[in-house]
Amino acid sequence: MGLLSILRKLKSHATKELRLLLLGLDNAGKTTILKSLASEDITQITPTQGFNIKSVQNENFNLNVWDIGGARKIRPYWRNYFENTDLLIYVVDSADIQRLEETAQELSELLIEEKLRGIPLLVYANKQDLSQSVMAADIADRLRLHNIKDRDWQIQSCVATQGKGVKEGLEWACKSIERSYRKHQ
């Protein structure tokens, strides 16, 4: 049973539309996570050249998830999608050890963007099923997540191709956003 099926079984009268921005380097698994969230087939995924959008409902929110391509030539355009973002989801390929510093640099640049200031951050440490993958705690260290003081953040181990950890990350995200809204009401 996919996440969308589980969420539909919940009392689903979305009270608020949320915009979730799904970013990360190319081949990190962003589109696989997006399709997993939408309970779609993940066997035919091609690199994202622009963006994909899916709407997913949960108990309190209608989630509009924007998956933006992560190729180096596309990254300068990420900032065109920052407006009105409620949650930043950043996906890391845990098995791509050579690019961990590059992904850390990209994330640090995102975190200083004015339009993303203070919004919760969910990091998916994807591809945890591969033998050479780095544990989520080590990725948190390499991304310097423990230095983040201006927002809620969470790192979630996952295997997007199997849907493992994806739902748990989204549950944290929704709770974090809900807490944030309660504080500001």
Side-chain angles (χ1 to χ4, degrees):
M1 180 184 309
L3 178 60
L4 189 55
S5 301
I6 293 168
L7 293 174
R8 282 185 179 148
K9 287 184 179 182
L10 298 172
K11 294 179 184 173
S12 183
H13 298 292
T15 58
K16 175 100 175 104
E17 287 233 353
L18 298 178
R19 180 181 167 103
L20 283 59
L21 189 56
L22 183 58
L23 299 175
L25 302 186
D26 51 305
N27 200 38
K30 298 176 300 297
T31 302
T32 305
I33 287 173
L34 178 66
K35 288 184 172 267
S36 178
L37 290 171
S39 298
E40 292 182 4
D41 178 30
I42 59 169
T43 58
Q44 299 294 324
I45 295 181
T46 58
T48 303
Q49 298 303 314
F51 62 90
N52 298 302
I53 306 168
K54 299 284 180 200
S55 289
V56 178
Q57 290 190 345
N58 88 341
E59 187 173 345
N60 298 314
F61 302 110
N62 181 29
L63 309 172
N64 295 309
V65 185
W66 289 69
D67 162 26
I68 314 300
R72 188 179 305 274
K73 66 181 181 181
I74 295 174
R75 291 181 218 156
Y77 299 102
W78 283 357
R79 66 181 21 90
N80 295 327
Y81 300 91
F82 293 168
E83 195 76 37
N84 301 316
T85 296
D86 295 296
L87 174 79
L88 175 60
I89 301 173
Y90 195 78
V91 183
V92 176
D93 179 343
S94 302
D96 193 351
I97 298 165
Q98 285 74 30
R99 295 179 76 193
L100 285 177
E101 187 55 41
E102 180 183 358
T103 199
Q105 181 61 39
E106 290 292 345
L107 178 60
S108 69
E109 289 177 20
L110 289 169
L111 295 177
I112 60 173
E113 288 285 342
E114 180 65 32
K115 290 180 181 175
L116 297 177
R117 181 174 287 171
I119 66 166
L121 169 67
L122 170 61
V123 176
Y124 279 116
N126 192 22
K127 304 184 184 182
Q128 288 290 307
D129 58 326
L130 301 179
S131 62
Q132 69 272 30
S133 66
V134 177
M135 301 291 288
D138 293 331
I139 289 174
D141 290 339
R142 292 184 187 205
L143 297 179
R144 299 174 283 286
L145 296 179
H146 301 288
N147 295 337
I148 298 173
K149 307 294 184 211
D150 68 336
R151 68 189 75 223
D152 285 346
W153 64 268
Q154 172 76 13
I155 188 161
Q156 176 66 51
S157 295
C158 76
V159 180
T161 56
Q162 300 170 17
K164 291 181 180 177
V166 176
K167 178 186 120 185
E168 292 82 356
L170 189 64
E171 287 172 356
W172 172 86
C174 290
K175 288 176 185 174
S176 179
I177 293 168
E178 205 165 323
R179 280 191 307 271
S180 178
Y181 277 120
R182 285 183 187 149
K183 283 182 195 175
H184 295 96
Q185 287 183 345

